[in-house]
Amino acid sequence: MRTDDPFSMAILAALAAAPSVGGMSLPRLAKRLDLGVSVVLRQLSMMGDAVIGGQPGPAWVRVVQTEDRWVVHLTDAGRSAAESLLASPGASELAE
């Protein structure tokens, strides 16, 4: 997974802007990105640590179900990727 993928970059930027304590609910993240929950969840699967097609993901995010609520957390690796992404030229477009 590359950080130059616009969808991944938008997710990283949205999660980095959220309070880090409790993560962000999956529906809220999807609404912020103006996409369906299933679309965002598929992308999050590739951004986690799951092995897909024999390749492990970058482990940038962790999705946790607490009772009936799905919450997306940025991992340390994800926070590092988001920080380098937001420090790059053109990052202000992602933060909006």
Side-chain angles (χ1 to χ4, degrees):
M1 173 87 15
R2 303 175 336 224
T3 55
D4 60 349
D5 169 45
F7 194 6
S8 297
M9 293 188 315
I11 290 173
L12 288 173
L15 292 173
S20 61
V21 175
M24 182 182 288
S25 74
L26 180 57
R28 178 172 289 169
L29 177 60
K31 185 174 182 175
R32 184 164 292 180
L33 297 171
D34 198 27
L35 294 168
V37 169
S38 62
V39 173
V40 175
L41 188 55
R42 275 193 301 272
Q43 185 68 18
L44 290 170
S45 296
M46 292 186 287
M47 295 174 66
D49 61 359
V51 177
I52 300 174
Q55 295 294 320
W60 291 336
V61 297
R62 184 172 45 92
V63 181
V64 179
Q65 182 180 15
T66 325
E67 296 179 20
D68 291 337
R69 187 169 182 238
W70 288 91
V71 180
V72 183
H73 298 272
L74 201 55
T75 64
D76 290 339
R79 192 160 305 286
S80 294
E83 287 171 1
S84 65
L85 166 71
L86 295 174
S88 67
S92 61
E93 298 169 4
L94 293 172
E96 295 175 356

